[in-house]
Amino acid sequence: MIIVMKTGAHESQIQDVIRRIEALGYQAHIIQGTQRTVVGAVGDERGKDRLQSLEVMPGVETVVPILHPFKLASREVKGGKSIVKVGDLEIGGPAVVVMAGPCSVESEAQILQTAQAVKAAGAKVLRGGAFKPRTSPYAFQGLAEEGLKYLDIARAATGLKIVTEVVNPMDVELVATYADILQVGARNVQNFALLKRVGEVGKPVLLKRGMATTIKEFLMAAEYILSEGNYDVILCERGIRTFETSTRFTLDLSAIPVLGKLTHLPLFVDPSHGTGQWDYVAPMAKAAIACGADGLIIEVHPNPAEAQSDGLQSLKPQKFQQLMDELRPLALAVGRRL
Amino acid sequence: MIIVMKTGAHESQIQDVIRRIEALGYQAHIIQGTQRTVVGAVGDERGKDRLQSLEVMPGVETVVPILHPFKLASREVKGGKSIVKVGDLEIGGPAVVVMAGPCSVESEAQILQTAQAVKAAGAKVLRGGAFKPRTSPYAFQGLAEEGLKYLDIARAATGLKIVTEVVNPMDVELVATYADILQVGARNVQNFALLKRVGEVGKPVLLKRGMATTIKEFLMAAEYILSEGNYDVILCERGIRTFETSTRFTLDLSAIPVLGKLTHLPLFVDPSHGTGQWDYVAPMAKAAIACGADGLIIEVHPNPAEAQSDGLQSLKPQKFQQLMDELRPLALAVGRRL
Amino acid sequence: MIIVMKTGAHESQIQDVIRRIEALGYQAHIIQGTQRTVVGAVGDERGKDRLQSLEVMPGVETVVPILHPFKLASREVKGGKSIVKVGDLEIGGPAVVVMAGPCSVESEAQILQTAQAVKAAGAKVLRGGAFKPRTSPYAFQGLAEEGLKYLDIARAATGLKIVTEVVNPMDVELVATYADILQVGARNVQNFALLKRVGEVGKPVLLKRGMATTIKEFLMAAEYILSEGNYDVILCERGIRTFETSTRFTLDLSAIPVLGKLTHLPLFVDPSHGTGQWDYVAPMAKAAIACGADGLIIEVHPNPAEAQSDGLQSLKPQKFQQLMDELRPLALAVGRRL
Amino acid sequence: MIIVMKTGAHESQIQDVIRRIEALGYQAHIIQGTQRTVVGAVGDERGKDRLQSLEVMPGVETVVPILHPFKLASREVKGGKSIVKVGDLEIGGPAVVVMAGPCSVESEAQILQTAQAVKAAGAKVLRGGAFKPRTSPYAFQGLAEEGLKYLDIARAATGLKIVTEVVNPMDVELVATYADILQVGARNVQNFALLKRVGEVGKPVLLKRGMATTIKEFLMAAEYILSEGNYDVILCERGIRTFETSTRFTLDLSAIPVLGKLTHLPLFVDPSHGTGQWDYVAPMAKAAIACGADGLIIEVHPNPAEAQSDGLQSLKPQKFQQLMDELRPLALAVGRRL
């Protein structure tokens, strides 16, 4: 950490800061500027959080951290990229992986029909929510365990892997019984109780970025899961909240190269939630692959106008098929394959 | 709902929309504009969520909702302002109520000392976290039940009411045993599993706005609690995330008059988290009272430089005393009292 | 426009609204809802701005516009896509056009060297600022007319077209003498005096989106230029301001498909300013092409560490060459060419 | 500046950085951390802009500035608060100053009637736009010089000072002939050509913060005016753009204490534009005074429903009178007077 003193800080204040740095187990190095004194705190990074509190001391202007606060998620620490294995499926490898399916599991017929369609188009993982985090208490809340059972049937019928959301720490074990990949949704990215539980249960996790989560906070959320010993975490950009209202969220695709520099974890993009409108899904899916995403998660519904949730952002199976066909040459053009 | 058709929508598309509106149990009213046709859907508001899906139909440009999606939280529905009673303490009445205390409960001595200081200054409720939602898994996570016991001791010693945060649906019952008011933090404002549980348990709830929660979503989050039959909800503005970095968050004080028009629930402001820096707490606390807040929640720590969390935004007891003294004439100037 | 009355609005208030609508030259159509009355104002859209003022009338809850406020920029009105011709160069056609060059023109040697390099790599237009809008009055402000002359020399030497920024209405004529395309920068997107002048002077304009400009405001800014009779406007997304600080701005690539639906004007992306960091330029340039951009504007500097401005986001010529080579197959994969 | 090297940066890269620091005229001080090396650049701050470019050098992770980039606007440099004198009126002193009037000057009768009303209520300055920066080219653009003449008549009739906006560098001299205070609007806060001209002309300036302007950029915009030798600058917070849409902008009142710490310039708040709705103006005006604003600028129109612009956010004279009456005791409660 770098502690910047105020202009005109007293020598005694500087000495107090040095004493406090040393009391916390660091070495203090002083740089005497022409206008300000700067003190560097050198040492093991544990307890850095406490160093931040030096900002309260008299004469201190600001405290600037030097190291990133995440460790297990760090690419620098690991030294390369990770592949998350879900059975025989590799996520984060040379092949781009597409997950697809409806927002909510609504019936056995609906999920089976969708599963067959997305499988035929080339998806490897079936998505579908059984526990739905809905903004309104009056909206459809999902079929719960019944929905999980329909997903199980669809898996048996198609061989697709299953990704489905869990919203309550109490349900993690139940959902893990059915799912191949547990999804933690955007609204729960800082639900630390949930993060710890999905860390403990040991299944691969698709962690979505929250609508106001910085890149650093996102990696710290992943760190919660990793620090429980679960290294199979996939990060998913799904749009952030900005002033722009012509899309439901603003898909922050630059998060892909930024995260790619900082972390070894595989990186996904959700162009359905990220835009909120089906006719923007294809262009943004292409853009995601072009800038280096390891995969996509896309909403597909056989009859969007009748969907219980998020119909507006769902592709019909035929449009999804067309998108997959268009993604293939694009993936090749950036050295990947679908 | 108002369904706006595209310029040049076919008559058959308009007829399809009308049929669908009627199938969902509404009456359709058509306005033939010079450039576009607009269809109004009139009827009972249940199922409005489904109407939104008309946006997917061919020829439809957009669907505009007319009614607010919240009901129990609505001022229009209730017809006045609510008072939340916590024992003999009235929140939302003519008196401005101040809650104060440390970010985290750290020890019996720390919480007792703070409780006595904030009581002496005029606070009515003691705040202090036993379960801490921390961005980093390596940061202090709170004393858990031990912390709740210290709060209990402080209550016995001072007569202050206790507000403390709950972060896991599994802990709601435990925390409710000790707390007078359950706090749901900003990161959990859309943790619907938690909202339902605090709704069921029937204790007053202080619900903080999330950092990217719109006013409408905030009221829908309250609606989750209210719809479980718990009407004792206090809303708390605590800063939203914007591009500005000179404060930790941007305290959105206009939320107070905006919410005051929309809801009957009491409205609080947290100037400590809202600014992230102790020397901005006093001016923003004053501003909050001036624009109509029913109360404040303020971080006070006997030794901020040693605090386990959020020391930078904590007032020392003496500064808190001074603030309370300055708030009294201000409250009178806006027709309230402290 | 749709005028939504408050619940319980008096009949006389509804009649007042109707009278006012008719006085402004519209027809009023009433929809009697179960809870609210809604009044549609039907008629010629001129003066819609005045209709918004109905929101002030007693009993009115809100006024919802139905039509987009832009006309000349509207794709719906024009019925297709426009091509902007700059001599023999077509912008907005099947070929993706790349503009490249330094942030600032610094010397004849620097601009000549860069021009030759970007020409060799396949760029068609040379960028370079002679008048620089700098955040600090103490920073390099550009070479002014001297810089324009160096651009002229570079054009003569390479045959590249020239795009350069104008920041003052008083300089428009001067800059137009040298430039093939006038650039209006992000900070001037609502500098209406400047927009009118570049509209009058009749040269093609590259209009950058402001950092807090909504899509609709962006199109209204273009409308200022178009309404002066200058139809050769190219829109350029260059990043918006959000809470995320790991990039200088957040490049809003979804603006490309959104704008593509709303307007006929060619659409560019500036991945250099949009990210602020050279190593994010290539992935975001690819993403831009993948989602449908008609072109790119990229900063290239022979020696970024010595650049007078924006060195951090500038590519070296060799990196730019490599990017262009990678863009070619990508453009083909989305049915374009470079 | 602090230059943070990457983990594992080569010794030769560190030496290159040191050489470059010294070549730019600074001294280099090295702190050898456990994981990274940090290099401090000590010396005169001129050219700091160039130091930022070290971020491009191999082995460099990031460059952290230590000093604020503004000087003339800095409170630290000046050592106290400034008072801007407009004739006999003191802005920034113990008395809170209120500016009021219509968004646009529409007619002689309208401006005279408003001037008399706001004068009677206690305003000291009359606002009114003759040159209007309107989002739409089809909206009312102001009466131009005719409007200035009406303001002159209103000044003669009431003795109020006049504040009016200038949007084009070419008009600065003309507007300065009529105005006591030149207003630079939010959309022009980084129109550097305009800032320089109003700096040269030497009249007091009311500079509004842009909707996406950080506190530091705002002070740098002021610095443009100050660096031309014009020290009479009043800063005005008027709302920033955020995700929240229930108000037109989000009034960032914490900007008042933040700016109060950083600069000596007087600080105003515009609750009319900051909220966009007349019934939020009074509470936010009170909040502004409570948190330390030196004054307010408020829109008042005799007949908001007929206003050419911004009727929705305008107070009627009677409401303005009532607000002024309510502000008086509030100002006293925070040690000011109206």
Side-chain angles (χ1 to χ4, degrees):
Chain A
M1 294 246 175
I2 298 294
I3 293 91
V4 182
M5 304 301 296
K6 286 183 180 154
T7 303
H10 293 292
E11 182 55 32
S12 66
Q13 294 173 331
I14 298 171
Q15 290 306 321
D16 285 350
V17 165
I18 291 169
R19 263 192 298 278
R20 177 109 178 107
I21 287 172
E22 292 174 350
L24 287 167
Y26 299 81
Q27 286 184 296
H29 287 241
I30 298 173
I31 300 177
Q32 191 69 48
T34 48
Q35 300 209 13
R36 277 157 210 255
T37 298
V38 165
V39 186
V42 173
D44 185 293
E45 78 219 69
R46 275 172 298 220
K48 282 278 176 189
D49 201 54
R50 303 296 300 280
L51 268 183
Q52 194 73 42
S53 69
L54 270 74
E55 216 156 52
V56 184
M57 294 185 72
V60 173
E61 167 107 357
T62 187
V63 173
V64 183
I66 296 301
L67 295 177
H68 291 308
F70 45 89
K71 285 180 261 185
L72 301 172
S74 165
R75 183 158 191 157
E76 191 177 276
V77 170
K78 175 155 196 285
K81 246 191 109 167
S82 288
I83 289 179
V84 170
K85 288 193 183 167
V86 186
D88 56 340
L89 180 67
E90 293 198 342
I91 293 175
V96 167
V97 171
V98 177
M99 307 179 176
C103 180
S104 305
V105 180
E106 293 167 14
S107 70
E108 189 181 324
Q110 172 243 23
I111 197 69
L112 254 178
Q113 183 186 351
T114 314
Q116 277 148 353
V118 302
K119 160 103 180 178
K124 301 288 188 230
V125 181
L126 176 66
R127 64 150 291 155
F131 296 91
K132 297 301 305 170
R134 301 302 299 279
T135 305
S136 165
Y138 309 122
F140 177 65
Q141 306 277 320
L143 295 180
E145 192 169 359
E146 189 189 345
L148 297 175
K149 285 179 179 160
Y150 295 154
L151 287 169
D152 196 31
I153 292 168
R155 171 170 44 202
T158 58
L160 290 169
K161 311 292 178 198
I162 300 296
V163 60
T164 193
E165 183 165 358
V166 58
V167 297
N168 190 330
M170 289 191 260
D171 297 330
V172 169
E173 225 153 320
L174 173 70
V175 178
T177 317
Y178 291 94
D180 298 297
I181 306 171
L182 295 171
Q183 180 180 315
V184 175
R187 286 166 186 79
N188 284 314
V189 70
Q190 294 195 316
N191 180 342
F192 303 117
L194 183 65
L195 295 177
K196 283 183 195 167
R197 278 300 292 134
V198 302
E200 287 162 11
V201 87
K203 277 269 167 106
V205 178
L206 180 80
L207 176 66
K208 289 197 164 184
R209 183 183 183 186
M211 58 184 87
T213 308
T214 63
I215 295 287
K216 281 189 189 163
E217 288 169 345
F218 192 18
L219 289 172
M220 290 309 287
E223 193 86 2
Y224 260 93
I225 303 172
L226 297 167
S227 67
E228 297 293 335
N230 182 349
Y231 292 93
D232 291 330
V233 176
I234 303 154
L235 301 177
C236 183
E237 160 64 27
R238 48 75 72 202
I240 58 173
R241 194 151 259 177
T242 72
F243 64 84
E244 180 56 57
T245 57
S246 67
T247 42
R248 195 167 160 199
F249 295 97
T250 297
L251 192 66
D252 177 15
L253 283 184
S254 57
I256 298 302
V258 172
L259 283 166
K261 218 164 80 168
L262 295 174
T263 186
H264 54 89
L265 299 171
L267 305 174
F268 267 53
V269 169
D270 177 345
S272 306
H273 284 88
T275 62
Q277 211 168 310
W278 70 268
D279 48 352
Y280 303 144
V281 170
M284 299 318 284
K286 291 176 194 172
I289 300 306
C291 72
D294 296 306
L296 299 166
I297 179 162
I298 293 177
E299 292 203 353
V300 176
H301 194 286
N303 188 354
E306 305 275 346
Q308 285 284 1
S309 55
D310 284 346
L312 184 55
Q313 69 197 33
S314 297
L315 293 182
K316 291 185 189 170
Q318 187 200 340
K319 289 273 180 200
F320 177 68
Q321 171 76 62
Q322 185 187 332
L323 169 59
M324 292 294 280
D325 291 345
E326 290 172 5
L327 286 177
R328 273 183 200 94
L330 193 92
L332 290 175
V334 292
R336 305 290 285 261
R337 58 189 159 78
L338 205 63
Chain B
M1 294 248 174
I2 298 293
I3 293 90
V4 182
M5 303 301 296
K6 287 183 180 154
T7 303
H10 293 291
E11 182 55 30
S12 66
Q13 294 173 329
I14 298 172
Q15 290 306 320
D16 284 349
V17 165
I18 291 170
R19 262 192 299 276
R20 176 107 178 111
I21 287 172
E22 292 175 350
L24 288 167
Y26 300 82
Q27 287 184 294
H29 287 241
I30 298 172
I31 301 177
Q32 191 67 50
T34 48
Q35 299 210 14
R36 277 157 210 255
T37 297
V38 166
V39 186
V42 172
D44 185 294
E45 77 218 68
R46 277 173 299 220
K48 282 277 177 190
D49 200 54
R50 303 296 301 279
L51 268 183
Q52 194 73 41
S53 69
L54 270 74
E55 216 157 52
V56 184
M57 294 185 72
V60 173
E61 166 107 358
T62 186
V63 173
V64 183
I66 297 301
L67 296 177
H68 290 307
F70 46 89
K71 287 180 258 183
L72 302 172
S74 165
R75 182 156 193 160
E76 192 177 276
V77 171
K78 174 153 196 287
K81 245 191 109 165
S82 288
I83 290 180
V84 170
K85 289 193 182 166
V86 185
D88 55 340
L89 180 66
E90 292 198 341
I91 292 175
V96 168
V97 171
V98 178
M99 308 178 176
C103 180
S104 305
V105 180
E106 293 167 14
S107 70
E108 188 181 325
Q110 171 242 24
I111 197 70
L112 254 179
Q113 183 186 350
T114 313
Q116 277 149 354
V118 302
K119 160 103 180 179
K124 301 288 189 230
V125 180
L126 177 66
R127 63 151 292 155
F131 295 92
K132 298 301 307 169
R134 302 301 300 279
T135 305
S136 165
Y138 309 121
F140 176 66
Q141 306 277 319
L143 295 180
E145 191 168 2
E146 187 188 348
L148 297 175
K149 285 180 179 160
Y150 296 154
L151 286 169
D152 196 31
I153 291 169
R155 170 168 47 200
T158 59
L160 290 169
K161 310 294 179 199
I162 299 296
V163 60
T164 194
E165 183 165 357
V166 58
V167 298
N168 190 328
M170 289 192 259
D171 297 329
V172 169
E173 224 154 318
L174 172 71
V175 178
T177 318
Y178 291 95
D180 298 298
I181 306 170
L182 294 170
Q183 180 181 314
V184 174
R187 286 166 185 79
N188 284 314
V189 69
Q190 293 195 317
N191 180 341
F192 303 118
L194 183 65
L195 295 177
K196 282 184 195 166
R197 278 299 292 135
V198 302
E200 288 162 12
V201 87
K203 276 268 167 107
V205 178
L206 180 80
L207 177 65
K208 289 198 165 183
R209 183 183 183 185
M211 58 184 87
T213 308
T214 63
I215 295 287
K216 281 188 190 162
E217 288 169 344
F218 192 18
L219 289 172
M220 290 309 287
E223 193 87 1
Y224 261 91
I225 303 172
L226 297 167
S227 68
E228 297 293 336
N230 183 349
Y231 292 93
D232 291 330
V233 176
I234 303 154
L235 301 177
C236 183
E237 160 64 27
R238 48 74 74 201
I240 58 173
R241 193 151 261 177
T242 71
F243 64 84
E244 180 56 57
T245 56
S246 66
T247 42
R248 195 167 160 199
F249 295 97
T250 297
L251 192 66
D252 176 15
L253 283 183
S254 57
I256 298 302
V258 172
L259 283 167
K261 220 164 80 170
L262 295 174
T263 186
H264 54 89
L265 299 171
L267 304 173
F268 267 53
V269 170
D270 177 345
S272 306
H273 284 88
T275 62
Q277 210 168 312
W278 71 268
D279 49 352
Y280 304 143
V281 170
M284 299 319 284
K286 291 175 193 172
I289 300 305
C291 72
D294 296 306
L296 300 166
I297 180 162
I298 293 177
E299 292 203 353
V300 177
H301 194 287
N303 188 353
E306 305 274 346
Q308 285 283 2
S309 55
D310 284 348
L312 184 55
Q313 70 197 32
S314 297
L315 294 182
K316 291 185 190 171
Q318 187 200 339
K319 289 272 180 200
F320 177 67
Q321 170 77 61
Q322 184 187 331
L323 170 58
M324 292 294 279
D325 291 346
E326 291 172 5
L327 286 177
R328 273 183 200 94
L330 193 92
L332 290 174
V334 293
R336 306 290 284 262
R337 58 188 159 79
L338 206 61
Chain C
M1 295 245 175
I2 298 293
I3 293 92
V4 183
M5 303 300 297
K6 288 183 180 155
T7 303
H10 293 291
E11 183 54 31
S12 66
Q13 293 173 331
I14 297 171
Q15 290 306 320
D16 283 350
V17 166
I18 291 170
R19 261 193 299 277
R20 176 107 178 110
I21 287 172
E22 292 174 350
L24 288 166
Y26 300 82
Q27 285 184 296
H29 287 240
I30 298 173
I31 300 177
Q32 191 69 48
T34 48
Q35 299 209 15
R36 277 158 210 257
T37 298
V38 165
V39 186
V42 173
D44 185 292
E45 77 219 68
R46 275 172 299 218
K48 282 276 176 189
D49 200 54
R50 303 296 301 277
L51 268 183
Q52 194 72 42
S53 70
L54 270 74
E55 216 156 52
V56 184
M57 293 185 73
V60 173
E61 167 106 358
T62 187
V63 173
V64 183
I66 297 300
L67 295 177
H68 290 308
F70 46 89
K71 285 180 262 185
L72 301 172
S74 165
R75 182 154 192 161
E76 192 177 277
V77 170
K78 174 154 196 287
K81 248 191 108 167
S82 287
I83 290 180
V84 171
K85 289 194 182 165
V86 186
D88 56 341
L89 179 67
E90 292 199 342
I91 292 175
V96 168
V97 171
V98 178
M99 307 178 176
C103 180
S104 304
V105 179
E106 294 168 13
S107 70
E108 189 181 324
Q110 171 244 23
I111 198 68
L112 254 179
Q113 182 186 351
T114 313
Q116 276 147 353
V118 302
K119 159 105 181 179
K124 302 286 188 232
V125 181
L126 176 67
R127 62 150 292 155
F131 295 92
K132 298 301 306 171
R134 302 301 300 278
T135 305
S136 165
Y138 309 121
F140 176 66
Q141 307 277 319
L143 296 181
E145 191 168 1
E146 189 189 345
L148 296 175
K149 285 179 178 159
Y150 295 155
L151 287 168
D152 196 31
I153 292 168
R155 171 171 44 202
T158 60
L160 291 169
K161 310 294 178 197
I162 299 296
V163 60
T164 193
E165 184 165 358
V166 59
V167 298
N168 190 329
M170 287 191 261
D171 297 330
V172 168
E173 224 154 320
L174 172 70
V175 178
T177 318
Y178 291 94
D180 298 297
I181 306 171
L182 295 171
Q183 180 181 315
V184 174
R187 286 165 185 79
N188 284 316
V189 69
Q190 293 195 317
N191 180 341
F192 303 117
L194 183 65
L195 295 177
K196 282 184 196 167
R197 279 299 292 133
V198 301
E200 288 162 11
V201 87
K203 275 270 167 104
V205 177
L206 180 81
L207 177 65
K208 289 199 165 183
R209 184 182 182 186
M211 58 182 88
T213 307
T214 63
I215 295 287
K216 281 189 190 162
E217 288 168 344
F218 191 19
L219 289 171
M220 290 309 287
E223 192 86 2
Y224 261 92
I225 303 172
L226 296 167
S227 67
E228 297 292 337
N230 182 349
Y231 292 93
D232 291 330
V233 176
I234 303 155
L235 301 177
C236 183
E237 159 65 28
R238 48 75 74 201
I240 58 173
R241 194 151 258 179
T242 72
F243 65 84
E244 180 57 57
T245 56
S246 65
T247 40
R248 193 166 162 200
F249 295 97
T250 296
L251 192 67
D252 177 15
L253 283 184
S254 57
I256 298 302
V258 171
L259 283 166
K261 218 163 80 168
L262 295 174
T263 186
H264 54 89
L265 300 170
L267 305 173
F268 267 53
V269 170
D270 176 345
S272 306
H273 285 88
T275 62
Q277 211 168 309
W278 71 268
D279 48 353
Y280 304 144
V281 170
M284 299 318 285
K286 292 175 193 172
I289 300 306
C291 72
D294 296 306
L296 300 166
I297 179 163
I298 293 177
E299 292 202 354
V300 177
H301 195 285
N303 188 354
E306 305 274 346
Q308 285 284 0
S309 56
D310 285 345
L312 184 55
Q313 70 197 33
S314 296
L315 294 182
K316 290 185 190 170
Q318 186 201 340
K319 290 272 179 200
F320 176 68
Q321 170 78 61
Q322 185 187 331
L323 170 59
M324 292 294 280
D325 291 346
E326 291 171 4
L327 286 176
R328 273 185 200 93
L330 193 92
L332 291 174
V334 293
R336 306 289 285 262
R337 58 189 159 78
L338 205 62
Chain D
M1 295 247 174
I2 297 293
I3 293 91
V4 182
M5 303 299 297
K6 287 183 180 155
T7 303
H10 294 292
E11 183 54 32
S12 66
Q13 293 173 330
I14 298 171
Q15 290 307 320
D16 284 350
V17 166
I18 291 169
R19 261 192 298 278
R20 176 106 179 111
I21 287 172
E22 291 174 350
L24 287 167
Y26 300 83
Q27 286 184 296
H29 287 241
I30 298 173
I31 300 178
Q32 191 68 47
T34 48
Q35 300 209 13
R36 276 156 210 256
T37 298
V38 165
V39 186
V42 173
D44 185 292
E45 78 219 69
R46 276 173 298 221
K48 282 276 176 189
D49 201 55
R50 303 296 300 279
L51 268 183
Q52 194 71 43
S53 69
L54 270 73
E55 217 156 51
V56 183
M57 293 185 72
V60 173
E61 166 105 359
T62 187
V63 173
V64 183
I66 296 300
L67 295 177
H68 290 309
F70 45 90
K71 286 180 260 184
L72 301 172
S74 165
R75 184 157 191 158
E76 193 177 275
V77 170
K78 174 154 197 287
K81 245 190 108 164
S82 288
I83 289 180
V84 170
K85 288 192 183 167
V86 185
D88 56 340
L89 179 67
E90 292 198 342
I91 292 175
V96 168
V97 171
V98 178
M99 307 177 176
C103 180
S104 304
V105 180
E106 295 167 13
S107 70
E108 187 180 326
Q110 172 244 23
I111 197 69
L112 253 179
Q113 183 186 351
T114 313
Q116 276 148 354
V118 303
K119 160 104 180 180
K124 302 289 189 229
V125 181
L126 176 67
R127 64 151 290 156
F131 296 91
K132 299 301 305 170
R134 302 301 300 280
T135 305
S136 165
Y138 310 121
F140 176 66
Q141 307 275 319
L143 296 180
E145 189 167 3
E146 188 189 346
L148 296 175
K149 285 179 178 160
Y150 295 155
L151 287 169
D152 196 31
I153 292 168
R155 170 169 46 201
T158 60
L160 290 169
K161 310 292 179 199
I162 299 296
V163 60
T164 194
E165 183 164 358
V166 60
V167 298
N168 190 329
M170 288 191 259
D171 297 329
V172 168
E173 223 153 321
L174 172 71
V175 178
T177 318
Y178 291 94
D180 298 296
I181 306 171
L182 295 171
Q183 180 181 314
V184 174
R187 286 165 186 78
N188 284 314
V189 69
Q190 294 195 316
N191 180 340
F192 304 118
L194 183 65
L195 296 177
K196 283 184 195 168
R197 277 300 290 133
V198 301
E200 288 162 11
V201 86
K203 275 270 168 105
V205 178
L206 180 81
L207 176 65
K208 290 198 163 182
R209 182 182 183 186
M211 58 183 87
T213 308
T214 63
I215 295 287
K216 281 189 190 162
E217 288 169 344
F218 192 19
L219 289 171
M220 290 309 287
E223 193 86 1
Y224 261 93
I225 303 172
L226 296 166
S227 68
E228 297 292 338
N230 182 351
Y231 292 93
D232 292 329
V233 176
I234 303 155
L235 301 177
C236 183
E237 159 64 29
R238 49 74 74 201
I240 58 173
R241 193 150 260 178
T242 71
F243 65 84
E244 179 58 57
T245 55
S246 66
T247 41
R248 196 167 160 199
F249 295 97
T250 297
L251 192 67
D252 177 14
L253 284 184
S254 57
I256 299 301
V258 171
L259 283 166
K261 220 164 78 170
L262 294 174
T263 186
H264 54 90
L265 299 171
L267 306 173
F268 267 53
V269 170
D270 177 345
S272 305
H273 285 87
T275 62
Q277 210 167 311
W278 70 269
D279 48 353
Y280 304 143
V281 170
M284 299 318 284
K286 292 175 192 173
I289 300 305
C291 71
D294 296 306
L296 299 166
I297 180 162
I298 293 178
E299 293 202 352
V300 177
H301 194 285
N303 188 353
E306 306 275 347
Q308 286 283 0
S309 56
D310 284 346
L312 184 54
Q313 70 196 34
S314 297
L315 294 182
K316 291 183 189 171
Q318 188 201 338
K319 290 273 180 199
F320 176 68
Q321 170 78 62
Q322 184 188 330
L323 170 58
M324 292 294 280
D325 291 346
E326 291 172 4
L327 286 177
R328 274 184 199 92
L330 193 92
L332 290 174
V334 293
R336 306 289 285 263
R337 58 190 159 78
L338 206 63

